[in-house]
Amino acid sequence: MKNNSENKTKKGPNEKLEIIEKLRLENKELSKQLARVNDKLKGSEKFKSNFLANMMNEIINPYTSIMSLSKNIVELGRNDWDKAASMAELIYSEASDLDFQLNNIFVAAEIEAGEAFTQISNIEINGLIQDAIDKIKFKAEKRNIVINVEYIVKQGKQKEPLNFTTDYSKLRLILTNFLNNAIKYSNPGGRIKVLAVVENKKAKITVQDFGTGIEKEDLNTIFDRFRKLDSDVNSLNTGHGLGLSVAKALSDILEGEITIKTERNKGSSFTIIVPEAEPDDDTFLSEGDEIIF
Amino acid sequence: MNDTIKRYYLHPSSLIVCNSPTEIITLLGSCVAVCLWDPVKEFGGMNHFMLPLWNGQGLTSPKYGDIATEKLIARMIKLGSDKHNLKAKLFGGASVLFSDNNLFNIGERNIETAKEILERNKIPVISSSTGSTMGRKILFNTKTGTIRQKLIKKNN
């Protein structure tokens, strides 16, 4: 009996080595896991710093322009109305940029707080597209980019009203971000095509550019926040990479789907398909098999 | 008692905490709703998440269980709750019928995530209705903490 119990507690040298080897392997695997988590943390810190640096540009640049242009207007002589008008136009363009950037930041904050509540109404898609273009056209004009809108509508009539039920401001912000992206990746003097179709209770809107395109491997990270593709110092593309992650999250809220087609140096097209929103069913009939918890 | 009580429809990826009496209603398939109730201050809140864990991509929205549940607890505390008083009720996490590999067992994983985070925060789950293949419609009275549930046919 004594021998048996000794056998149970005392391990043979081979058995001990086996356990040590097992622990060593487990330790190695855990170290690897830790390294992977550390890499991810370092990565997210880097994205955060990129984000802050980019944000500074996005906000401070237009803000500085607005300050100096308005100061110039204040100092203008009484008869320089022409100059004042052109400066006011520049102020408006810079302020619109600031408005667009801040709107993305506020909406991202709402989404992250779980407070991006939907406001469903009957809208007209042509008007919504034009509204989105108006919000961003100052950027296109700066780089001589033309935005063409094409509608494919039922009965083949041009500009037939495309009525649809959805959240107007959410869909508009998705489109504005698509357009902003298309402008960024277009070559100066280029063109952008917007195509809208409503069929089978779904709206499909595509924004196509003919610019630099996106590398296939970058497509997986395109919706990450803080991420901006082509983040070289010399890159002409500005932006804090928040826009597309906002577009993706808004599309999720509208139960939509975003698809991207892209080819290097030929351009990209971003498509959003959203189903018609159904009214919230907030009725709760008391009859039937109800259980109380 | 017949005073009309506010009613609020909670959409997926959202959360709400109401410190005035409200009936929060939501529709669940594989999604999960955590209902937190403070019996001392008599108010509560609910989240409605779709996927278990945030994968480090996109916005940190309450579409993900880890984020949605931590945020719900934080919001209750912000509105005056003592964490030790909080009680949780869990709903949803049904098995979905389509078999997309990425979405395999999503309901079960959603439930596990919620339980783990509640346990880590030492918040007891006092009742729950999870799993199975039926969808659920629930109505949470934030004043009394009671939840009415109906099983419905819903597969997502």
Side-chain angles (χ1 to χ4, degrees):
Chain A
M1 286 300 281
K2 200 182 172 192
N3 278 347
N4 273 350
S5 63
E6 268 179 7
N7 278 346
K8 264 185 194 168
T9 47
K10 277 193 177 176
K11 312 263 185 220
N14 281 345
E15 221 175 330
K16 270 186 191 167
L17 280 176
E18 231 174 74
I19 292 172
I20 290 169
E21 179 60 15
K22 222 174 166 183
L23 284 172
R24 199 183 64 79
L25 285 174
E26 208 176 296
N27 199 14
K28 206 173 157 188
E29 183 50 40
L30 285 172
S31 301
K32 265 193 208 162
Q33 277 182 23
L34 187 63
R36 279 199 293 269
V37 173
N38 272 341
D39 278 350
K40 220 171 177 182
L41 277 175
K42 267 187 254 165
S44 74
E45 274 309 306
K46 196 176 149 205
F47 286 147
K48 229 181 223 173
S49 349
N50 276 353
F51 173 72
L52 286 174
N54 280 317
M55 290 278 294
M56 297 274 277
N57 278 337
E58 300 295 337
I59 291 174
I60 289 177
N61 287 350
Y63 183 69
T64 314
S65 304
I66 291 168
M67 288 295 282
S68 60
L69 284 162
S70 46
K71 188 164 176 267
N72 286 348
I73 292 183
V74 171
E75 287 168 357
L76 275 179
R78 282 273 162 210
N79 298 323
D80 281 336
W81 290 116
D82 285 353
K83 266 190 193 166
S86 68
M87 280 182 204
E89 206 175 302
L90 287 172
I91 289 177
Y92 180 69
S93 149
E94 295 293 341
S96 303
D97 192 11
L98 200 54
D99 180 57
F100 170 63
Q101 306 296 354
L102 290 174
N103 197 16
N104 265 335
I105 294 166
F106 296 149
V107 171
E110 270 175 15
I111 294 168
E112 293 204 334
E115 288 173 347
F117 305 129
T118 46
Q119 286 184 313
I120 303 300
S121 56
N122 289 318
I123 65 156
E124 201 277 307
I125 298 272
N126 297 328
L128 173 122
I129 292 172
Q130 199 50 54
D131 194 6
I133 292 172
D134 287 346
K135 288 248 169 220
I136 205 86
K137 70 174 180 202
F138 64 94
K139 281 195 169 185
E141 282 164 0
K142 257 190 205 170
R143 302 184 61 214
N144 289 325
I145 294 166
V146 181
I147 303 175
N148 295 319
V149 186
E150 290 177 23
Y151 309 91
I152 295 179
V153 290
K154 295 163 282 181
Q155 285 112 40
K157 283 183 204 156
Q158 280 293 313
K159 284 228 172 191
E160 179 187 329
L162 291 178
N163 294 319
F164 199 68
T165 310
T166 191
D167 184 314
Y168 186 89
S169 62
K170 286 189 175 50
L171 188 54
R172 185 183 59 188
L173 190 56
I174 292 171
L175 287 183
T176 319
N177 275 307
F178 281 3
L179 287 164
N180 182 49
N181 206 57
I183 293 166
K184 276 196 291 191
Y185 289 93
S186 283
N187 299 313
R191 71 192 169 97
I192 292 167
K193 207 165 92 178
V194 183
L195 193 73
V197 190
V198 175
E199 56 185 9
N200 302 328
K201 291 195 153 196
K202 282 183 179 176
K204 177 178 172 186
I205 308 172
T206 300
V207 174
Q208 186 178 8
D209 71 67
F210 302 88
T212 56
I214 301 160
E215 292 286 1
K216 287 272 182 293
E217 58 263 33
D218 287 334
L219 282 179
N220 294 330
T221 53
I222 197 163
F223 294 117
D224 285 8
R225 58 178 188 165
F226 309 142
R227 172 78 77 154
K228 188 186 68 166
L229 305 177
D230 201 6
S231 53
D232 302 345
V233 182
N234 294 327
S235 168
L236 288 172
N237 303 321
T238 56
H240 46 72
L242 194 62
L244 287 179
S245 61
V246 167
K248 173 75 174 73
L250 290 177
S251 154
D252 284 347
I253 290 170
L254 299 178
E255 296 178 44
E257 198 189 337
I258 292 176
T259 49
I260 308 167
K261 281 187 193 156
T262 184
E263 203 175 328
R264 201 68 178 156
N265 295 323
K266 288 204 169 162
S268 314
S269 70
F270 282 70
T271 301
I272 170 98
I273 300 177
V274 277
E276 194 137 24
E278 309 232 340
D280 295 339
D281 180 13
D282 67 351
T283 53
F284 202 93
L285 302 172
S286 51
E287 67 263 22
D289 46 355
E290 182 181 320
I291 311 168
I292 309 272
F293 288 88
Chain B
M1 283 303 285
N2 286 330
D3 286 349
T4 48
I5 183 167
K6 262 191 300 177
R7 188 171 278 192
Y8 183 84
Y9 186 91
L10 186 70
H11 285 270
S13 307
S14 308
L15 64 91
I16 188 165
V17 173
C18 305
N19 54 6
S20 61
T22 307
E23 286 179 336
I24 308 170
I25 200 162
T26 204
L27 211 56
L28 301 160
S30 65
C31 292
V32 163
V34 176
C35 305
L36 284 186
W37 188 56
D38 182 337
V40 178
K41 303 222 162 167
E42 295 187 326
F43 77 98
M46 189 200 282
N47 65 17
H48 177 154
F49 63 87
M50 303 168 85
L51 296 170
L53 299 170
W54 184 53
N55 54 7
Q57 292 172 355
L59 300 176
T60 53
S61 79
K63 177 182 175 182
Y64 307 95
D66 50 347
I67 289 161
T69 310
E70 292 285 3
K71 280 191 174 165
L72 181 66
I73 298 167
R75 196 76 61 85
M76 289 293 293
I77 294 168
K78 200 175 169 189
L79 286 183
S81 277
D82 183 337
K83 194 156 93 175
H84 300 107
N85 294 332
L86 293 180
K87 308 270 181 257
K89 295 184 183 184
L90 277 184
F91 294 86
S95 309
V96 283
L97 292 180
F98 57 87
S99 60
D100 186 320
N101 276 340
N102 290 329
L103 295 173
F104 187 64
N105 264 350
I106 206 79
E108 210 174 293
R109 283 163 56 202
N110 280 339
I111 288 292
E112 282 312 312
T113 305
K115 280 185 181 163
E116 197 188 305
I117 289 166
L118 291 168
E119 195 182 313
R120 205 188 301 152
N121 283 281
K122 299 191 172 62
I123 298 172
V125 177
I126 55 170
S127 64
S128 60
S129 165
T130 59
S132 94
T133 53
M134 293 288 275
R136 294 169 172 84
K137 192 170 196 179
I138 57 168
L139 183 127
F140 175 29
N141 183 317
T142 61
K143 167 90 177 151
T144 61
T146 50
I147 290 158
R148 294 160 65 190
Q149 177 199 269
K150 280 186 166 210
L151 292 176
I152 48 160
K153 279 183 189 145
K154 185 177 192 285
N155 296 320
N156 52 40

